[in-house]
Every structure is written in C-alpha cells, then in structure tokens.
Amino acid sequence: MAVHRVLIVEDEPMIAMMVEDFLEDLGWDIAGWAGGTKQALAMARDADIDVALLDVNLSGEDTFAVADILSERGIPFVFATGYGADGVADRFRSVPTLTKPFQRDELDHALHQATAGVRNSFGDQFADPTSQAWPSKANSAGC
C-alpha cells in the first residue's frame, strides 16, 4: 500500500491518540489532528492530505462543512460517529461511515474504501451505496 497522509478530526484526545496508533500500525501517515471545528475547517482548506477521518460531532458542532470543503478539493473522507449512519446528513449517505466504537481493521477497510471510491458527478461524493457502518470485530483492537 502506498502511504497516504491522513487528517484526523476528533475532539476527544484519547480517541484521537488511539486512532493515530491504529493508523501508524497500519502504515498510514498522520498529516495532522484537528480537535475543533475552526481548526478542522482550516486544515480541510489548506493541509496537504490524501484522506480524512471526520468525527461527525465536534463539541456539539457537526463537521459537514469540513466534509464539503474536502469534497470540493476532491479529498476522500470517512465519517466516525456514535450515532451510526443515522448521524450523517443525507447528502453524505454514500460516504463510508464507522460507528464508534470501531476496530482497527474497520478503520483500515473504510479508509481503503474511501481512497478507492468512485466519484459521482453530482456532489463529488463517493458513489458506493454499500459504504455504511461496519460491524464490530472481536479480534481487533477497538476504539
């Protein structure tokens, strides 16, 4: 696998550190971590990244504006949420979504799916209708 630079958007430092460990174990490169909406918006606009993992809710604010910027830049992303696919805005239903808590292998699968995704011509979203929440795996480290 070619190394991809991943932006982590997560407001819980312990979860962000665990995700960072997962990604490093899997051979992904951490491009940065944004813990708030303002920082996430700036990084989505300006950071040199290949893919992003977006917590849907950052301290009560959704990250859909961040997702919009990434979409405009043609950068794939994955959502992570404790609410499952129901926590994602309708316009992003085709984006891979991880349900917290998720496992290392689920994260890897979702990121690979996002980076291999086919763009549709309307919203520059990923067109894979099967990309929803992943079931937990008991044999992997969890987040």
Side-chain angles (χ1 to χ4, degrees), residues 23-115:
L23 293 169
E24 288 173 351
D25 288 349
L26 293 164
W28 297 83
D29 186 31
I30 310 307
W33 169 50
T37 305
K38 186 175 180 177
Q39 182 183 21
L41 288 166
M43 292 182 83
R45 276 191 300 271
D46 303 324
D48 183 20
I49 58 175
D50 300 305
V51 64
L53 175 66
L54 307 178
D55 182 356
V56 170
N57 183 332
L58 295 182
S59 302
E61 295 182 65
D62 69 56
T63 56
F64 302 135
V66 176
D68 287 331
I69 292 168
L70 294 170
S71 292
E72 290 169 10
R73 291 184 62 196
I75 298 171
F77 54 92
V78 172
F79 284 118
T81 177
Y83 305 103
D86 291 339
V88 176
D90 287 342
R91 71 183 185 273
F92 295 116
R93 291 288 178 184
S94 61
V95 173
T97 301
L98 292 164
T99 300
K100 292 179 178 180
F102 54 83
Q103 308 297 319
R104 179 181 54 223
D105 294 341
E106 295 167 320
L107 174 61
D108 192 46
H109 179 81
L111 288 170
H112 279 288
Q113 182 179 17
T115 57

